[in-house]
Amino acid sequence: MLVLLLGVVVFVSLFGSDAGGVMLAWHGVLTAACLLVVAWDGGGQWQTCAPAAMASAVLSGLVAWNLRTRVRPERFPHALMLRLGGGLLMVTLVAIAVPADALDVQGRLEVVAGLSAILCGLVAATVERERARQCAALACALDGWLLLAGIAGRGLAVAGGCVLLGALLFMIRVTLLRDAADGGEW
């Protein structure tokens, strides 16, 4: 079950900026589900996995809610191919870079999935031209950060990820209000 959830999280990291924030909301829920499964199976990681899961679901949902009307349906033709190609390259490089003998099989899979979610979100953010899509992709990368920090049991990194997602949400709100006052396009 965890393998399937982690694979879907990495896949959705590539497409988190699509569909008006719906994919981003799903990404947050899937990340939270992964964290809860890890805490349930791992035993004793509730102190980092539960807050990371809650932050991922709630903050990604808030970012998605604020971006729901800002993501335009039209796409640039090159963006999908660049996101897929770059995402496949990132997952391959991460799988090669994480040593096989350093962790057990499940631990290695969790680390590879967390790092891949971060990098795929960053690749998607660099490929997109619209600010709303870039913000959604960055939120996916920060969900990957929360996934990796929660799995690793790093409470300070979970808190840092929450602060970064909150800062992204604040910047989106300020930009939305400023652009609405200017009457310009976001």
Side-chain angles (χ1 to χ4, degrees):
M1 169 100 169
L2 181 61
V3 174
L4 178 65
L5 284 174
L6 289 171
V8 173
V9 165
V10 172
F11 180 75
V12 175
S13 293
L14 291 172
F15 301 102
S17 59
D18 286 339
V22 173
M23 293 295 277
L24 174 58
W26 271 108
H27 191 273
V29 169
L30 288 169
T31 303
C34 287
L35 285 162
L36 293 176
V37 168
V38 166
W40 184 269
D41 288 343
Q45 290 185 347
W46 286 102
Q47 66 273 11
T48 56
C49 284
M54 188 172 66
S56 177
V58 170
L59 290 174
S60 293
L62 288 173
V63 170
W65 177 261
N66 283 293
L67 293 177
R68 71 190 180 283
T69 60
R70 300 295 178 187
V71 176
R72 294 188 191 119
E74 68 268 1
R75 302 226 13 112
F76 295 104
H78 73 284
L80 179 63
M81 293 309 294
L82 286 174
R83 284 186 349 201
L84 285 174
L88 181 61
L89 178 66
M90 290 299 125
V91 171
T92 304
L93 290 177
V94 167
I96 292 169
V98 175
D101 57 349
L103 301 165
D104 62 346
V105 173
Q106 183 176 350
R108 184 171 188 269
L109 176 67
E110 293 167 355
V111 169
V112 167
L115 288 172
S116 296
I118 293 169
L119 292 174
C120 288
L122 292 176
V123 165
T126 58
V127 169
E128 293 296 342
R129 293 184 183 175
E130 288 182 39
R131 284 188 281 175
R133 289 181 187 269
Q134 289 172 343
C135 289
L138 287 175
C140 285
L142 290 172
D143 275 346
W145 171 301
L146 288 173
L147 175 66
L148 192 59
I151 289 171
R154 305 287 185 209
L156 191 56
V158 170
C162 292
V163 167
L164 289 172
L165 265 171
L168 180 64
L169 181 62
F170 176 74
M171 289 188 313
I172 289 169
R173 291 298 299 168
V174 168
T175 305
L176 287 173
L177 293 174
R178 184 194 69 214
D179 287 343
D182 293 340
E185 287 286 322
W186 206 66

